[in-house]
Amino acid sequence: YVVKPNGGNNAGHTVVVGGEKYELKLLPAGILSENAIPVLGNGVVINLEALFDEIDGLEARGANASRLKISANAHLVAPYHQTLDRVQERFLGKRAIGTTGRGIGPTYADKVARIGIRVQDVFDESILRQKVESALEIKNQMLVKMYNRKAIEAEQIVEYFLSYRERLRPMVIDAELELNQALTDGHNVLMEGGQATMLDVDHGTYPFVTSSNPTAGGASVGSGIGPTRIKTSLGIIKAYTTRVGAGPFPTELFDKWGEYLQTTGGEVGVNTGRTRRCGWYDSVIARYATRVNGFTDYFLTKLDVLTGIGEVGAELSQISAGAVVGGRLTDAYGFAAETGLGGADGGVATNFKGNLSPVDSSIIPLLDEKHRSLCTITNTERPVLTKVSHATVAHNDSNFGMITNLDDHVV
């Protein structure tokens, strides 16, 4: 099973299978594997129009999407959520957060306010109509009186959802029950985060965050799998840092190297087409993400993008990453550097010399003291496995990746 436990069609993943490039927006990556059952968990918010458009696009290319399962408890994005998202973002002006305008935030807001619409509601027209009418009593007041927009008819929304009912029906399951039974039966369950740690609504750079919890704890809540059944937390991190939308970015580059990372790394958002902001690797954030998620393993990507750069920058604090607050180095992150909390002076910037190329060695900072503050990675012209400190490195000329494991073995 491959489960998406959070987010919606606001965070895309680019996946290459068999030389074919796929841009997934709502569906989990497991949709491309014949050996996996892809699941949209209860923590996902689903735009039905976007869902079936994406399925149709994949099937037109020969992919099989018939294995997809959807939790009956997942919430649905209504057209009025998208309208409110776009109107509210424009209303904020210079204070805009930089949302995708896909209605994700308003859908999660309704979920928490207990006026949301769930997948299971589509199969009971009476309940569906009651919920839509109740929600629109509030939404139309906002649209008409605050934003000077037209009111939305309840019947229009009801018909929108009902038009997808029969196609949706065979996909809907009690996902919590099926996933837990799968674990009991000895099957593997992989949960795929929708966004990165720094976009987590609780642990990210609030308010410049998404509306759900893409951290490891959120995977448990968004799938219905208890935390004691999760054995591995795998952190995926780039060899540099990227961000889409507004918000703090301590290592952001505004020079030729920022442009180089964008161009060479193909840093364009899958869903929005917006160019990603780029900067050097930030070990303060990496260590923070490690603590918040309880990572047992790491997967480092896009080292090849740094090929040819003579000097690689990184945000470090000598041996252990931290923030400088009141002239004193602290290991506590807390976003003091971004928010001004605690009178932060900022982090410590370090440049690492060395030209990363297929035949040279480079100094790459790792994530925490357990894996050493620095390790030297030696490339060769042949694909090899090189053990460096406590890291296992797999690489070749065209694709450079790293997996590290606390138990010192290949995952």
Side-chain angles (χ1 to χ4, degrees):
Y1 290 80
V2 177
V3 185
K4 185 171 182 176
N6 76 285
N9 63 318
N10 61 331
H13 292 152
T14 301
V15 182
V16 179
V17 178
E20 288 283 323
K21 180 180 177 181
Y22 299 88
E23 293 184 342
L24 302 177
K25 300 176 181 179
L26 175 59
L27 297 171
I31 197 79
L32 299 173
S33 173
E34 291 291 338
N35 299 319
I37 298 175
V39 180
L40 293 177
N42 58 276
V44 177
V45 292
I46 302 172
N47 180 319
L48 293 177
E49 181 179 4
L51 172 68
F52 290 116
D53 282 349
E54 191 169 348
I55 289 174
D56 291 343
L58 288 177
E59 291 182 338
R61 297 178 62 182
N64 178 15
S66 64
R67 303 179 313 282
L68 178 65
K69 304 298 181 184
I70 299 174
S71 171
N73 290 336
H75 280 245
L76 296 174
V77 179
Y80 53 76
H81 290 133
Q82 298 172 73
T83 299
L84 282 168
D85 200 2
R86 291 189 292 267
V87 169
Q88 289 170 343
E89 187 77 347
R90 286 196 295 269
F91 188 78
L92 287 172
K94 293 181 179 179
R95 294 170 293 151
I97 295 171
T99 73
T100 61
R102 305 291 172 83
I104 308 302
T107 306
Y108 276 115
D110 278 6
K111 175 180 179 177
V112 176
R114 300 181 295 278
I115 56 172
I117 298 169
R118 300 198 290 181
V119 168
Q120 59 186 276
D121 298 330
V122 175
F123 304 103
D124 189 320
E125 187 173 343
S126 175
I127 291 177
L128 174 64
R129 192 178 302 277
Q130 177 184 335
K131 287 192 171 185
V132 169
E133 289 175 350
S134 177
L136 282 178
E137 285 183 12
I138 301 171
K139 309 300 181 188
N140 279 334
Q141 293 287 333
M142 295 172 62
L143 286 170
V144 174
K145 295 183 179 180
M146 290 182 62
Y147 301 119
N148 195 29
R149 297 296 193 275
K150 293 181 179 179
I152 297 174
E153 296 292 334
E155 190 62 30
Q156 174 187 348
I157 304 301
V158 171
E159 289 302 318
Y160 166 81
F161 284 126
L162 292 179
S163 68
Y164 295 104
R165 179 168 58 182
E166 295 312 312
R167 192 174 180 187
L168 183 64
R169 189 184 297 275
M171 302 176 180
V172 180
I173 61 169
D174 183 339
E176 297 83 351
L177 176 62
E178 183 162 333
L179 292 173
N180 277 280
Q181 188 60 51
L183 288 172
T184 299
D185 294 341
H187 296 292
N188 293 321
V189 176
L190 173 68
M191 289 184 279
E192 171 191 336
Q195 290 97 353
T197 296
M198 308 317 292
L199 292 179
D200 187 281
V201 68
D202 286 293
H203 302 292
T205 50
Y206 190 90
F208 301 98
V209 293
T210 191
S211 304
S212 59
N213 296 103
T215 43
S220 179
V221 175
S223 64
I225 296 175
T228 56
R229 306 200 77 173
I230 299 173
K231 304 303 180 186
T232 299
S233 178
L234 174 62
I236 301 174
I237 188 168
K238 290 177 182 176
Y240 52 95
T241 308
T242 61
R243 176 169 201 147
V244 174
F249 193 163
T251 65
E252 185 171 8
L253 295 169
F254 301 96
D255 56 12
K256 65 176 182 179
W257 294 121
E259 183 178 346
Y260 172 87
L261 293 175
Q262 288 172 348
T263 303
T264 309
E267 297 298 346
V268 177
V270 171
N271 259 305
T272 63
R274 291 183 291 183
T275 301
R276 296 189 183 107
R277 299 157 62 191
C278 295
W280 295 129
Y281 171 87
D282 190 331
S283 67
V284 180
I285 287 177
R287 285 175 58 81
Y288 175 77
T290 300
R291 290 195 296 270
V292 168
N293 291 280
F295 288 146
T296 58
D297 307 87
Y298 307 106
F299 190 87
L300 180 64
T301 68
K302 292 202 169 184
L303 267 174
D304 55 319
V305 174
L306 301 182
T307 296
I309 296 180
E311 204 169 67
V312 177
E315 186 83 2
L316 283 180
S317 62
Q318 299 174 9
I319 295 177
S320 63
V324 179
V325 180
R328 183 175 62 87
L329 182 68
T330 173
D331 193 45
Y333 192 72
F335 303 109
E338 287 92 348
T339 64
L341 181 64
D345 303 318
V348 178
T350 304
N351 287 340
F352 296 93
K353 297 184 182 298
N355 184 22
L356 183 65
S357 70
V359 292
D360 293 332
S361 64
S362 289
I363 298 176
I364 304 296
L366 271 183
L367 301 181
D368 62 21
E369 72 279 358
K370 293 181 180 178
H371 291 79
R372 308 290 190 266
S373 297
L374 302 175
C375 75
T376 300
I377 299 176
T378 302
N379 291 348
T380 69
E381 294 181 347
R382 300 184 307 276
V384 297
L385 287 178
T386 305
K387 182 161 288 190
V388 184
S389 299
H390 291 274
T392 299
V393 183
H395 54 81
N396 57 41
D397 288 345
S398 61
N399 187 15
F400 200 126
M402 181 174 75
I403 300 175
T404 70
N405 185 274
L406 298 182
D407 297 326
D408 222 16
H409 64 265
V410 179
V411 179

